[in-house]
């Protein structure tokens, strides 16, 4: 399946049993429900999928199960987040063999590279696979900025085609477009600047909170595509208190708790993460319940 780099790609969660082994049927159910709710693609094994809390064989097993349940209905783009370049190369090759449709490629974990090292890491992974690649820029979380100098150096690498932009500064969307035009498809990657990013030309949204509220997420993007900024803004203003959770360090626990409140998944996470407790857990539950009770009932009006 060719990846059409636009629309809503939820960063899906990995579901765990009580003993914290992977619950494959529940992980498949979560994804099947999202596809039925109209999402455009799936980001598997991203941050919300707890990529770096899974063993190598678990990643490959789970990706196989995800490809199986998706069954060609939407593209599967898989997070590629490893400690070293050789490990990332090996996973990229295996992901292609398993049946992923694209990669979401991160800088090597832990080490903070110089620009030439970052470019070489991305280039080696890209050269190891025929899959299209979305780079993941999140300087706040990973202390690495994929700047325009790196993107310029990567121009000749044909299968690096998109960037998930998770910098909080929305000027970044325009700066990348002004520098590269249509060379890279740009995705909004931070939930609480998604509206701004999409309005400024991002073609899609890699979203965390879509896992709890997929219908509203899909409607927001469709409204903007139709030129109905009024409807999109109404959804966004309703959604924003929850979308702020995506920018917090406990985003995975918060999003999985939101899924649980909405009857879509479980809050179980793997160490070093632990489920939310006390006042923070009560706060998230209240926020989700209030959002569910005040969901906008809207239709999209196409611009003339």
């Amino acid at each position: 399946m060719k990846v059409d780099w636009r629309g809503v790609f939820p960063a899906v969660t990995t579901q765990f049993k009580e003993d914290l082994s992977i619950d494959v049927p529940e992980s498949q159910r979560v994804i099947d429900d999202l596809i039925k709710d109209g999402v455009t693609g799936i980001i598997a094994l991203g941050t919300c999928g707890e990529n770096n809390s899974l063993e190598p064989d678990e990643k490959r097993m789970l990706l196989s199960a995800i490809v199986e349940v998706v069954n060609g209905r939407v593209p599967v783009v898989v997070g590629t987040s490893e400690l070293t370049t050789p490990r990332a190369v090996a996973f990229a090759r295996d992901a292609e063999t398993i049946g992923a449709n694209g990669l979401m490629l991160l800088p090597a974990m832990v080490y903070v590279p110089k620009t030439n090292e970052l470019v070489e890491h991305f280039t080696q992974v890209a050269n190891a696979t025929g899959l299209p690649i979305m780079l993941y820029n999140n300087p706040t979380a990973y202390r690495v900025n994929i700047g325009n100098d790196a993107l310029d150096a990567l121009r000749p690498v044909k299968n690096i085609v998109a960037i998930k932009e998770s910098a909080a500064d929305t000027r970044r969307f325009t700066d990348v477009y002004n520098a590269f035009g249509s060379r890279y498809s740009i995705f909004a990657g931070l939930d609480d600047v998604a509206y701004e990013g999409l309005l400024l030309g991002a073609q899609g949204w890699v979203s965390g909170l879509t896992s709890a509220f997929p219908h509203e997420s899909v409607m927001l993007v469709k409204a903007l595509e139709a030129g109905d900024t009024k409807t999109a803004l109404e959804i966004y203003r309703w959604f924003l208190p929850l979308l702020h959770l995506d920018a917090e360090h406990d985003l995975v626990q918060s999003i999985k708790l939101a899924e649980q409140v909405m009857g879509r998944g479980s809050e179980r996470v793997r160490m070093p993460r632990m489920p939310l407790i006390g006042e923070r857990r009560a706060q998230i539950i209240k926020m989700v319940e209030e959002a569910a009770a005040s969901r906008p009932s809207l239709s999209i009006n196409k611009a003339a």
Side-chain angles (χ1 to χ4, degrees):
M1 171 178 281
K2 184 176 183 296
V3 181
D4 183 9
W5 296 98
R6 62 178 60 251
V8 181
F9 284 55
V12 300
T13 58
T14 298
Q15 297 296 302
F16 298 113
K17 300 176 183 177
E18 289 187 10
D19 65 359
L20 297 186
S21 62
I22 295 175
D23 192 330
V24 172
E26 277 298 289
S27 296
Q28 289 181 316
R29 182 190 64 79
V30 162
I31 291 168
D32 187 54
D33 287 346
L34 287 167
I35 295 171
K36 290 174 181 175
D37 283 318
V39 302
T40 317
I42 293 295
I43 301 291
L45 301 176
T47 302
C48 292
E50 298 177 71
N51 184 307
N52 296 113
S53 297
L54 304 183
E55 297 299 323
D57 59 337
E58 289 181 316
K59 295 181 188 183
R60 289 156 173 82
M61 177 274 293
L62 182 57
L63 178 59
S64 296
I66 290 170
V67 169
E68 176 186 55
V69 72
V70 171
N71 193 28
R73 290 176 290 171
V74 298
V76 175
V77 177
V78 62
T80 306
S81 173
E82 302 293 339
L83 287 169
T84 68
T85 303
R87 289 183 186 183
V89 164
F91 183 78
R93 288 173 173 157
D94 289 347
E96 184 170 14
T97 299
I98 290 167
N101 306 112
L103 306 178
M104 184 177 73
L105 178 58
L106 281 72
M109 292 290 97
V110 183
Y111 179 65
V112 179
K114 297 179 178 67
T115 298
N116 66 309
E117 294 172 316
L118 181 65
V119 168
E120 184 63 21
H121 173 76
F122 289 153
T123 300
Q124 286 195 25
V125 177
N127 287 342
T129 177
L131 293 177
I133 293 172
M134 168 191 282
L135 302 180
Y136 180 7
N137 188 41
N138 192 334
T140 301
Y142 300 118
R143 301 175 296 154
V144 181
N145 183 50
I146 306 173
N148 283 7
D149 52 350
L151 292 177
D152 189 55
L154 291 164
R155 280 183 195 260
V157 185
K158 299 300 184 184
N159 60 329
I160 296 180
V161 299
I163 181 165
K164 174 189 173 184
E165 186 52 65
S166 293
D169 186 348
T170 56
R171 292 174 296 183
R172 174 76 173 152
F173 294 99
T174 303
D175 285 340
V176 171
Y177 179 81
N178 284 345
F180 302 103
S182 60
R183 170 60 184 87
Y184 299 104
S185 297
I186 307 172
F187 268 58
L190 197 61
D191 280 0
D192 60 357
V193 289
Y195 176 86
E196 293 87 345
L198 291 161
L199 205 60
L200 289 168
Q203 295 171 252
W205 177 19
V206 175
S207 171
L209 270 301
T210 293
S211 289
F213 290 95
H215 177 66
E216 290 78 9
S217 301
V218 170
M219 277 192 67
L220 191 157
V221 173
K222 285 186 174 179
L224 284 173
E225 289 175 344
D228 185 0
T229 55
K230 180 181 178 182
T231 296
L233 186 56
E234 188 171 346
I235 297 169
Y236 188 59
R237 285 172 172 165
W238 160 84
F239 214 169
L240 193 57
L242 285 177
L243 297 181
H244 284 317
L245 298 175
D246 187 60
E248 301 290 342
H249 289 298
D250 59 4
L251 73 137
V252 176
Q253 295 96 313
S254 297
I255 289 168
K256 294 186 89 169
L257 179 56
E259 280 186 292
Q260 181 167 292
V261 173
M262 297 304 297
R264 304 187 68 97
S266 164
E267 68 179 318
R268 297 187 192 104
V269 290
R270 269 193 184 172
M271 292 285 289
R273 295 181 179 92
M274 296 175 66
L276 299 178
I277 59 174
E279 183 178 347
R280 179 61 168 166
R281 186 173 188 276
Q283 176 194 29
I284 302 304
I285 291 172
K286 181 180 179 183
M287 290 173 66
V288 175
E289 289 176 343
E290 287 178 349
S294 60
R295 300 168 88 152
S297 178
L298 301 167
S299 58
I300 296 171
N301 300 305
K302 290 192 176 182

